[in-house]
């Protein structure tokens, strides 16, 4: 009988059964489950075998609690090979538990693995782009009209037998979708995603065994500009030449027959291509399909006559940027039906999806005459006239067009475009139905939160939707207007919240490669990543923006224990600090500040820019010193710790008065000084008091912008002012989080005043209704309102701090599926008792700080009905904190109850 400790959720490189890994030292991880209290792993045994069952690695029984990032050392992985692995665990008492298995499969591993596959493209010299049909009289939106058609590419392949195994390795400079005999390969969207293509193009690997049999097959590809050569950012040029001028495809199909022999098909000059039915395709502007122009059978029939098609041109055979996908691609994860349909004319309706989302519409059209043109426009909000409000999209046309073939029922869904919208207008035909498809990088959801205030729940939902819609291959500022860039500050302030909502480890560690690729050779991190053009030193490296290059790797280390990413980023992190230090010998960061955006979009409370900059300089330097200690770089640790001390001293001298006033006297100024530890001990309380007065004098309202807002509630809580943090959370007057909620927001707005009762919509030049930065309060909802936090010195959720702060709420609950497994908390206060349920996964321990509400009978605290002192696995600790009981617990489920006299709450 094995013991009950059970490994599950096995991952390789933090992904479940990944296909096409190029990492030579993949990291294997698992979680543990056990209903018993106080469980942990005392030992494990890891075995790795190749497909035929031959063991290539056996760790033997290793006395270790490690469950994360275990590398089978000494194994040299072969390319294109599936490895099976099993892990067996031993529990805290040394009893053998269960065994679990999984697999991963390597990709081509090295550039040479691509063999003679070449990049192929449309040749404008032999095959001029076809003009739209002359018969079409209606004008097109200008920027959609100036975008290119998607290319149709094909190749017929005849197999001599049904394969035992087949893999397709494929990618594009641009965007592609592959098919075999008309059936789409995989379900990924917008592949290969956006990276700094000059350095890295990710490729996808598909198991296409089931799609192939003996005889002829058509390999078909649709190929479009995407991030590679379409409209990008707010640059009016197209092709903007950030990366390239026209899209290119590369593919390698490897077929293995039952007798072990193989056959390979690659992209080469024998492929043929044409302009088909996708007359225009652009990520930002939209897409136009003319169904009449789809060559019948082009992607299905081997006998299709492609004599009119053109040969492709071989662009090059450079394989050095190709790398197996590192994170989950974008996928359609949900379908949303309209909640409202308003008919504005016989052939025009406005659909309300009820949610500002990111993705595209799927239209179904019935009984339309051939050549009927349907126009789909998208908007986040409606104007007072009930029509789509599109001014805030700036030059993004966000328009899709479909010209019908004349079949009784036709379905249209654009392929290579994505819009941010709640409303869609469909014009052109009376009988149309539509649904929205939600798209984002397909990261596992790991967090849930709920409390007794429905407005706060809506806020949490808005934060999550903001994350979903803006994590589309890279973390973007916004998904709708002509921008959609990976702004670094937006990301770093929101990243702690993002980690609670979804498993973002591989998403962020992959994006950090783009951040490092974009780093200037002299050390400045870019403001956006992937960069569009080489960063110019006078424009890059803004305080709190560039700092993401330091803070995000550290966050990944803290949350996931991701030491390898920290190692890989460390050199870049030090170069960033060195760059600033060298330009600011007095340690006040006032030179080399790039654009210096300050506390972006604050409300009438401009924090002096050098206060903000110097505070970040100190913070990032401290983090680099911490990282150096963690990684064992003792000399660097000393150097950066000393530098951090010097910066702190400079900050105090330059900006802190004897009474604790921080220059500017803004909320953000105090937040930075307090949360980055920049004040001498005797000035901490005065600064907390000044922060409190800065909040009170605005009537319990915040004035913080992107930078300050992330620190607001956590800093107040840390300094004993949960009351004020809750007051800000529950505030619904402008400016506040709930102001937007009360005004119908279903995502987080870019600005506190995106829409106000007193001034209407903000200027459309910068007014997105889906920007996650101001949603950085999500972290505090999980960590403090619900009480799921990690202790200060802990990594990978080994030491939890369960310290819920009820404020004047009646209940809250959260679940966070950490790298060690789910942590849950649920507390409630009814008329007679306060209850706190806590669940801790094996391998973790928690300090539980039980807040005693007014009227609590402190002498009668119980755990699962047993007096606290006698509860198994619970150790009560002394605490000087008033109205708090503190105890330590190991893994397991606990229910703490305290009787309460005369407490009735609302809200
Ligand atoms: C973006 C931001 C970004 C900012 C830089 C804006 O256009 O939308 O979110 O951080 O520029 O100041």
């Amino acid at each position: 009988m094995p013991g009950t400790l059970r490994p599950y959720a096995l991952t390789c490189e933090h992904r479940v059964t990944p296909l096409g890994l190029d990492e030579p030292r993949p990291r294997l991880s698992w979680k543990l489950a056990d209903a018993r209290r106080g469980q942990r792993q005392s030992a494990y045994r890891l075995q790795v075998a190749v497909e035929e069952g031959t063991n290539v690695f056996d760790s033997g029984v290793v006395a270790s609690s490690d469950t994360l990032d275990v590398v089978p050392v000494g194994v040299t992985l072969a390319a294109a090979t599936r490895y099976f692995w099993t892990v067996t665990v031993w529990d805290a008492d040394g009893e053998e538990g269960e065994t679990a298995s999984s697999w991963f499969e390597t990709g081509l591993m090295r550039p040479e693995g691509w063999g003679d596959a070449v990049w192929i493209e449309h040749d404008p010299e032999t095959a001029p782009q076809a003009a739209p049909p002359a018969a079409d009289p209606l004008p097109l939106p200008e920027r959609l009209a100036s975008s290119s058609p998607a290319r149709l590419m094909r190749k017929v392949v005849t197999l001599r037998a049904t394969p035992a195994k087949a893999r397709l390795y494929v990618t594009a400079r641009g965007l592609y979708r592959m098919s075999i005999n008309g059936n789409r390969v995989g379900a990924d969207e917008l592949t290969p995603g956006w990276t700094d293509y000059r350095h890295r193009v990710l490729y996808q690997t598909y198991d296409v065994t089931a799609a192939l049999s003996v005889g002829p097959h058509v390999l078909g590809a649709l190929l479009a500009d995407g991030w590679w050569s379409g409209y990008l950012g707010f640059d009016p040029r197209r092709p903007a030449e950030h990366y390239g001028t026209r899209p290119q495809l590369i593919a390698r199909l490897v077929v293995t027959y039952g007798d072990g022999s193989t056959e390979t098909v690659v992209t080469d000059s024998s492929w043929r291509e044409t302009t088909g039915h996708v007359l225009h395709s652009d990520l930002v502007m939209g897409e136009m399909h003319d169904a009449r122009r789809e060559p019948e059978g082009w992607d299905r029939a081997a006998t299709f006559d492609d004599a009119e098609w053109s040969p492709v041109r071989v662009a090059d055979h450079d394989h050095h940027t190709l790398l197996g996908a590192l994170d989950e691609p974008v996928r359609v994860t949900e379908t949303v039906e309209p909640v409202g349909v308003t008919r504005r004319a016989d052939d025009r309706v406005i659909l309300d999806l009820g949610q500002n989302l990111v993705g595209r519409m799927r239209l179904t059209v019935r009984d339309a005459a051939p050549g009927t043109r349907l126009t789909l426009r998208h908007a986040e909000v409606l104007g007072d006239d009930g029509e789509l409000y599109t001014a805030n999209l700036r030059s993004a046309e966000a328009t899709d067009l479909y010209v019908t073939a004349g079949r009784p029922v036709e379905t249209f869904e654009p392929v290579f475009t994505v819009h941010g919208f709640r409303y869609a207008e469909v014009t052109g035909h009376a009988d149309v139905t539509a649904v929205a498809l939600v798209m984002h990088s397909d990261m596992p959801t790991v967090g849930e939160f709920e409390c007794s205030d429905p407005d706060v729940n809506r806020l949490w939902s808005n934060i999550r939707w903001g994350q979903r819609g803006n994590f589309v291959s890279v973390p973007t500022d916004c998904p709708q207007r002509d921008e959609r860039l990976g702004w670094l500050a937006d990301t770093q302030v929101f990243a702690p919240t993002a980690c609670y909502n979804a498993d973002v480890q591989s998403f962020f560690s992959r994006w950090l490669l783009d951040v490092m690729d974009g780093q200037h050779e002299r050390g400045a991190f870019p403001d956006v990543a992937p960069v569009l053009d080489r960063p110019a030193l006078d424009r890059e490296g803004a305080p709190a923006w560039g700092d993401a290059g330091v803070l995000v790797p550290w966050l990944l280390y803290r949350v996931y224990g991701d030491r390898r990413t920290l190692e890989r980023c460390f050199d870049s992190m030090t170069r960033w600090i060195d760059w600033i230090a060298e330009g600011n010998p007095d340690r006040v960061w006032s030179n080399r500040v790039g654009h210096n955006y300050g506390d972006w979009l604050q409300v009438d409370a401009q924090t002096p820019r050098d206060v903000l900059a110097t505070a970040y300089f100190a913070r990032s330097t401290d983090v680099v010193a911490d990282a150096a200690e963690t990684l064992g770089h003792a000399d660097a640790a000393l150097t950066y710790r000393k530098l951090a001390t010097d910066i702190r001293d400079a900050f105090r001298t330059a900006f802190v008065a004897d009474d604790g006033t921080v220059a500017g006297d803004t909320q953000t100024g105090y937040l930075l000084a307090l949360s980055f530890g920049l004040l001498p001990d005797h000035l901490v309380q005065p600064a907390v008091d000044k922060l409190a007065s800065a909040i009170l004098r605005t009537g319990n309202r915040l004035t913080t912008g992107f930078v300050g807002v992330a620190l607001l509630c956590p800093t107040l809580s840390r300094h004993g002012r949960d009351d004020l943090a809750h007051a800000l959370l529950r505030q619904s007057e402008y400016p506040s989080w709930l102001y937007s909620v009360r005004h119908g927001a279903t995502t987080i707005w870019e600005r506190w005043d995106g829409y106000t009762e007193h001034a209407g919509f903000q200027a459309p030049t910068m007014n997105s209704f889906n920007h996650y930065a101001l949603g950085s309060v999500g972290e505090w909802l999980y960590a403090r309102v619900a009480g799921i936090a990690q202790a200060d010195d802990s990594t990978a959720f080994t030491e939890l701090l369960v310290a819920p702060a009820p404020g004047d709420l009646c209940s809250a609950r959260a679940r966070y599926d950490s790298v060690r497994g789910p942590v849950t908390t649920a507390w409630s206060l009814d008329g007679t008792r306060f209850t706190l349920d806590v669940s801790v996964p094996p391998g973790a321990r928690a300090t539980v700080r039980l807040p005693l509400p007014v009227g609590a009978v402190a002498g009668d605290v119980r755990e699962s009905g047993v007096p606290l002192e006698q509860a198994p696995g619970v150790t009560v600790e002394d605490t000087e904190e008033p109205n708090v009981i503190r105890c330590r617990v190991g893994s397991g489920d606990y229910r703490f109850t305290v009787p309460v006299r005369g407490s009735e709450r609302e809200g």
Side-chain angles (χ1 to χ4, degrees), residues 477-478 481 483 487 490 545 597 600 706 750 766 771:
D477 57 337
C478 57
R481 68 181 179 219
E483 182 145 7
W487 285 97
D490 306 39
W545 268 252
Y597 307 99
W600 187 245
F706 277 26
E750 176 173 24
M766 220 188 68
H771 245 69

Side-chain angles (χ1 to χ4, degrees), residues 193 295 743:
H743 287 80

Side-chain angles (χ1 to χ4, degrees), residues 717-776:
S717 282
R718 192 171 274 263
H719 292 280
R721 297 306 306 261
D722 283 320
D723 58 328
L724 279 180
H726 272 276
L728 292 170
L729 174 69
R730 308 289 292 281
Q731 174 64 267
S732 57
E733 297 295 318
Y734 168 78
S736 68
W737 288 288
L738 296 191
Y739 185 78
S740 66
V741 168
R742 292 274 174 95
H743 287 80
T746 59
T747 37
I748 300 293
W749 295 351
E750 176 173 24
R751 335 174 52 123
W752 298 114
D753 59 355
Y755 171 87
T756 55
E757 276 161 22
H758 55 274
F761 287 131
Q762 244 294 350
T765 44
M766 220 188 68
N767 196 21
S768 138
F769 291 97
N770 195 356
H771 245 69
Y772 48 61
L774 298 180
S776 55

Side-chain angles (χ1 to χ4, degrees), residues 297 441 554 585 752 805 839 870 887:
S441 287
W554 184 246
W752 298 114
S839 153
Q870 295 160 27
C887 54

